[in-house]
């Protein structure tokens, strides 16, 4: 695709993403958990306005989740008039009947902005993949609601994109790997499950650089040096991510081990709670989410083509293995986790929608666009008098 056409395509995708999310914001009613994260944002907004920076180490409404997305809402809400806190309700309570305006709208717009940036990032890599992400109904729903998904979905995409940039531009490999590690730390500070992309990057790194682990000669010393050279960059990347996570989640600072252990314990217990059991979702429920569009909120979505994207991704598996292996590994790691993890809420599939869209674009290219190009070239070549 020529540069001008690519710029135009990216612009169209960006426009679609913006319009689709604004339509959704206006048509999706208040959903589960939005009151929780609006309240959390209000708490941080009040701390920012008053200059009470110690509150960031003391307050973390719904402490089973890290802080960064909640802080992002707080930064946005700090620009608005302060109103009474949204009431403290059970995390299993039905959606709130009403939430304060304009605070609720500002928080939704903040989530949508992160979602639009994720679409833009993918569209810059592949406009067709960006279009799939721009119009995905699950993606739209959970990156326009006041939830935790939009920010870590964006930063997890940056983990992969910056890692691939390090491979593409070896002269700047250290800087790009550092950017990837920083993005992974921010992802962990947004929502833990999105760190699955880090596992995918580690697998890809170990696989693609495995030859470095086996020196041809030199004995034990050479083997040790080779192992250090093989694993050293990955270890540094991981340690940088861990440091950034700690800095970006100040609630952990007073008691890192205790508070992190409490969050992990909560999720392990919740995954087997009565609330999860009552939902009655089968182990393969993530596949059901991926093969249907959002069944609620009529009028909230411009198109409903989620099944077509998933089918296209199946057609793109072989091509993706050869051209976009990291995205395929990321998709596989995330899907295996979702199938194994007992909690099956639909928003969890956002951990894989970015690589799914890329693999789906590979599928459309392999099954539709490439055959059309070959047929067109062959037909033109058969035209009498045609010269290449």
């Amino acid at each position: 695709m020529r540069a001008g056409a690519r710029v135009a395509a990216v612009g169209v995708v960006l426009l679609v993403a913006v319009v689709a999310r604004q339509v959704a914001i206006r048509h999706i009613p208040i959903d589960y958990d939005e009151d929780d994260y609006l309240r959390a944002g209000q708490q941080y907004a009040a701390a920012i306005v008053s200059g009470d920076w110690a509150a960031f180490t003391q307050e973390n409404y719904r402490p089973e989740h890290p802080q960064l997305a909640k802080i992002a809402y707080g930064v946005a809400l700090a620009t608005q008039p302060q109103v009474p806190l949204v009431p403290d309700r059970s995390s299993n309570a039905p959606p709130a009947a009403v939430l304060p305006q304009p605070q609720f709208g500002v928080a939704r717009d903040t989530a949508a902005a992160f979602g639009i940036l994720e679409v833009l990032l993918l569209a810059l890599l592949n406009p067709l993949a960006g279009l799939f992400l721009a119009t995905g109904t699950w993606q739209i729903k959970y990156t326009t609601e006041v939830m935790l998904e939009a920010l870590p979905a964006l930063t997890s995409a940056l983990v992969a994109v910056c890692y691939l940039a390090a491979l593409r531009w070896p002269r700047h490999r250290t800087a790009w790997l550092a950017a990837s590690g920083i993005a992974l730390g921010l992802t962990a500070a947004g929502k833990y499950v999105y760190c699955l992309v880090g596992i995918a990057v580690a697998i890809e790194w170990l696989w693609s650089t495995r030859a470095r682990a086996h020196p041809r000669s030199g004995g034990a010393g050479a083997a040790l040096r080779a192992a250090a050279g093989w694993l050293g960059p990955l270890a540094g990347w991981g340690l940088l991510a861990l440091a950034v996570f700690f800095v970006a989640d100040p609630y952990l600072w007073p008691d890192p081990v205790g508070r992190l252990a409490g969050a992990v314990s909560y999720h392990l217990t919740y995954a087997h709670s009565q609330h999860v059991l009552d939902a009655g979702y089968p182990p393969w429920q993530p596949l059901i989410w991926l093969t249907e569009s959002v069944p609620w909120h009529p009028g909230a979505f411009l198109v409903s083509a989620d099944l077509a994207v998933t089918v296209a991704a199946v057609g793109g598996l072989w091509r993706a293995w050869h051209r976009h292996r990291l995205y395929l590994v990321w998709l596989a790691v995330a899907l295996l986790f979702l199938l194994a993890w007992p909690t099956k809420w639909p928003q969890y599939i956002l951990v894989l929608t970015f690589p799914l869209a890329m693999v789906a674009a590979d599928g459309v290219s392999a099954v539709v666009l490439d055959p059309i190009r070959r047929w067109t070239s062959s037909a033109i070549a058969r035209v009498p008098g045609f010269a290449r």
Side-chain angles (χ1 to χ4, degrees):
M1 184 182 292
R2 295 180 179 178
R6 176 174 285 272
V7 170
V10 171
V12 169
V13 171
L14 185 59
L15 178 62
V16 170
V18 171
V19 172
R21 280 148 185 79
Q22 287 304 310
V23 170
I25 286 173
R26 285 159 176 73
H27 286 83
I28 296 177
I30 298 171
D31 205 352
Y32 290 93
D33 297 335
E34 289 195 279
D35 56 335
D36 291 342
Y37 300 123
L38 185 60
R39 176 186 170 92
Q42 286 182 288
Q43 290 178 332
Y44 291 129
I48 292 170
V49 170
S50 65
D52 181 15
W53 304 112
F56 289 86
T57 66
Q58 300 164 357
E59 298 284 350
N60 184 17
Y61 192 66
R62 301 294 183 235
E64 63 271 16
H65 295 297
Q67 286 178 291
L68 190 59
K70 306 170 194 176
I71 292 174
Y73 290 132
V75 171
L77 293 174
T79 65
Q80 304 300 311
Q82 301 300 296
V83 296
L85 286 178
V86 171
D88 181 13
R89 305 165 71 227
S90 167
S91 59
N92 297 331
V98 63
L99 290 173
Q101 291 284 12
Q103 288 75 14
F104 180 51
V106 167
R108 277 197 167 184
D109 286 340
T110 301
F114 291 130
I116 291 167
L117 287 174
E118 184 187 3
V119 170
L120 176 60
L121 177 64
L122 184 54
L124 291 170
L125 300 175
N126 186 312
L128 180 58
L131 182 63
F132 291 155
L133 196 67
T135 56
T137 60
W138 297 107
Q139 184 77 19
I140 293 170
K141 174 176 169 61
Y142 290 115
T143 60
T144 55
E145 295 182 350
V146 188
M147 296 183 69
L148 303 181
E149 316 305 320
L151 179 57
L154 170 62
T155 56
S156 64
L158 287 169
V159 173
V161 171
C162 291
Y163 168 76
L164 291 174
L167 300 183
R168 183 173 182 179
W169 294 295
R171 290 184 59 185
H172 305 287
R173 189 185 73 168
T174 300
W176 281 114
L177 281 179
S180 177
I182 291 169
L184 181 59
L186 296 176
T187 300
K191 193 172 183 179
Y192 301 124
V193 69
Y194 286 83
C195 290
L196 290 168
V197 66
I199 298 175
V201 168
I203 292 172
E204 165 64 18
W205 172 267
L206 295 175
W207 173 261
S208 62
T209 63
R210 63 193 184 282
R212 302 181 190 178
H214 304 289
R216 295 181 179 179
S217 60
L224 187 60
R225 288 192 296 273
W230 180 43
L231 300 176
L234 183 63
W237 172 82
L239 289 173
L240 176 60
L242 187 62
V244 171
F245 163 58
F246 183 72
V247 171
D249 194 1
Y251 182 70
L252 296 178
W253 297 355
D255 182 15
V257 175
R259 289 183 171 179
L260 189 58
V264 172
S265 176
Y266 172 89
H267 288 293
L268 293 175
T269 301
Y270 181 77
H272 298 90
S273 67
Q274 193 61 47
H275 185 61
V276 171
L277 295 175
D278 288 344
Y281 292 136
W284 56 87
Q285 183 63 40
L287 297 176
I288 297 176
W289 299 134
L290 291 171
T291 54
E292 68 177 16
S293 298
V294 173
W296 318 293
H297 322 315
F301 307 105
L302 300 178
V303 296
S304 297
D306 300 74
L307 173 59
V309 172
T310 299
V311 171
V314 174
L317 295 177
W318 179 255
R319 185 186 179 102
W321 175 253
H322 293 282
R323 298 197 178 191
H324 299 118
R325 186 171 60 201
L326 174 60
Y327 294 110
L328 185 59
V329 173
W330 181 6
L331 178 60
V333 167
L335 184 57
L336 288 173
F337 175 85
L338 295 183
L339 291 172
W341 189 247
T343 310
K344 307 291 182 181
W345 305 144
Q347 63 266 30
Y348 285 13
I349 66 168
L350 266 65
V351 303
L352 55 74
T353 47
F354 191 95
L356 180 74
M358 181 65 85
V359 176
D362 280 333
V364 172
S365 294
V367 177
V368 179
L369 300 182
D370 287 352
I372 291 175
R373 292 189 190 103
R374 288 193 294 268
W375 181 86
T376 303
S377 297
S378 176
I380 292 174
R382 292 194 296 269
V383 174
F386 176 78
R388 292 185 180 276

